[in-house]
Amino acid sequence: MFSRKTVKLLCGLAGGSAVLVFADSRGYLGEPREESRRSRWSRFPVLQAAQPAWTPGSHTPTPTGHAWDFNWDKRDPSALSNGKKKESSTEDPSSEQDNSKPKATRNILLIRHSQYNLSGTTDKERILTPLGREQAEFTGQRLAALGLKYDVLIHSSMARATETAQIISKYLPGVDLVSCDMLREGAPIQPVPPVTHWKPDAVQYHEDGARIEAAFRRYIHRADPKQKEDSYEIIVCHANVIRYFVCRALQFPPEGWLRMGLNNGSITWITIRPSGRVALRTLGDSGFMPVDKVTRT
């Protein structure tokens, strides 16, 4: 009875769902072909929800966000020069502005610490596991293999990040190690959507959030005008801190930080151009590790 019918499997993008739709020469479920074409999406809510929003009369998605803020780090030369008073009438304003413009690109490689002892009750007890130390070795080897001239290796003062940085530093001779309390793990901002397995109180968000935001402003910004060459800086810290940094740097809603996941020892690479443009070159890259060494704890 269904000899003239073909089965089409349409996979909805929302949730990976699938819907079986029967069609024959007259259309979907016996409808005339033209009517079938007009109504095919309206019949299937799952598929309809998965379709992008299109602008009227065009085939491009409707923009949903705000324009890029080029002065996001408060270091845009044009914004800085607007409030300055001229010291001399003979001073060339164009020359002054050129001297205040950044010319170098900053590359910031954010490393999540390796696997650590989850059963530890204090920070000193939460040291790397044997597998975690292996992961740090792989990360150090990867960073060395990139062949970049690293300027500094900054790390959180927590034990697991400090130990990870120390292992990595073996592969980067001559790169200074700097410890920073501001990079310690914490609760940056209440995530949206909320989760049930992790619920810090309001005080923790208030305290940790201010500290992590301060760390972002300290480390994530365009180059100083005096910097002549591109720089490569490594920061070894924690998943919450890195994910918050990524959202803030890309001007995404910061409350979406928990929608991303990062493997232990992974590399997240942010590039900041002199113009203030920001690019995410890699997010949580751990492809340099053997599959059986990859964890996310």
Side-chain angles (χ1 to χ4, degrees):
M1 183 169 182
F2 295 98
S3 59
R4 296 178 59 190
K5 296 182 179 180
T6 60
V7 178
K8 293 186 178 181
L9 178 63
L10 302 179
C11 297
L13 297 179
S17 57
V19 179
L20 285 174
V21 181
F22 291 94
D24 60 17
S25 60
R26 294 173 298 169
Y28 284 81
L29 304 177
E31 291 180 347
R33 186 176 298 276
E34 187 62 29
E35 183 181 349
S36 171
R37 278 197 292 266
R38 289 195 303 267
S39 62
R40 66 180 62 176
W41 297 119
S42 61
R43 289 181 176 275
F44 305 103
V46 172
L47 297 181
Q48 187 178 25
Q51 304 310 302
W54 305 104
T55 56
S58 72
H59 298 284
T60 57
T62 305
T64 57
H66 299 289
W68 180 262
D69 177 13
F70 281 93
N71 195 30
W72 59 273
D73 59 352
K74 309 306 178 189
R75 295 167 186 253
D76 184 357
S78 60
L80 291 173
S81 61
N82 286 340
K84 289 183 178 179
K85 183 179 179 180
K86 294 183 181 179
E87 296 180 0
S88 171
S89 59
T90 60
E91 188 174 358
D92 183 359
S94 61
S95 175
E96 180 184 3
Q97 190 172 24
D98 286 341
N99 292 333
S100 66
K101 284 184 177 179
K103 299 174 180 61
T105 295
R106 294 186 68 219
N107 294 273
I108 302 167
L109 289 83
L110 301 163
I111 314 298
R112 189 192 174 195
H113 61 77
S114 302
Q115 185 191 67
Y116 68 101
N117 174 28
L118 290 170
S119 61
T121 57
T122 65
D123 178 55
K124 291 183 178 180
E125 295 175 350
R126 292 171 182 166
I127 58 175
L128 300 186
T129 64
L131 175 56
R133 289 191 287 274
E134 283 188 76
Q135 292 170 340
E137 299 277 354
F138 285 121
T139 303
Q141 292 168 14
R142 173 59 175 170
L143 291 170
L146 291 175
L148 302 172
K149 183 181 177 181
Y150 299 107
D151 296 88
V152 66
L153 200 170
I154 307 165
H155 61 87
S156 157
S157 58
M158 297 187 81
R160 54 189 182 271
T162 300
E163 189 176 0
T164 301
Q166 289 171 344
I167 294 173
I168 290 174
S169 69
K170 295 190 306 180
Y171 297 90
L172 307 174
V175 179
D176 291 337
L177 271 172
V178 178
S179 179
C180 179
D181 288 335
M182 295 171 66
L183 294 167
R184 295 172 70 90
E185 185 63 303
I189 188 174
Q190 189 168 356
V192 176
V195 293
T196 57
H197 63 276
W198 185 70
K199 289 187 176 182
D201 56 32
V203 173
Q204 185 174 353
Y205 281 123
H206 179 71
E207 295 178 351
D208 290 353
R211 171 178 55 79
I212 296 172
E213 172 62 21
F216 171 81
R217 298 185 185 192
R218 178 172 180 173
Y219 293 114
I220 313 297
H221 55 78
R222 77 192 75 191
D224 187 273
K226 297 179 181 179
Q227 181 177 326
K228 303 303 181 183
E229 298 181 354
D230 295 350
S231 59
Y232 297 87
E233 302 161 47
I234 301 171
I235 299 178
V236 180
C237 53
H238 309 270
N240 295 359
V241 176
I242 295 172
R243 291 180 287 186
Y244 178 79
F245 280 11
V246 168
C247 287
R248 286 283 284 109
L250 297 179
Q251 299 187 21
F252 292 163
E255 63 270 18
W257 64 271
L258 198 50
R259 302 171 198 173
M260 296 177 277
L262 298 174
N263 291 333
N264 295 111
S266 61
I267 301 173
T268 295
W269 186 338
I270 294 176
T271 297
I272 307 174
R273 302 294 182 188
S275 64
R277 292 182 182 272
V278 179
L280 182 64
R281 296 189 60 170
T282 62
L283 175 66
D285 175 27
S286 58
F288 50 86
M289 294 188 194
V291 175
D292 60 342
K293 303 297 182 181
V294 176
T295 61
R296 190 187 298 178
T297 56

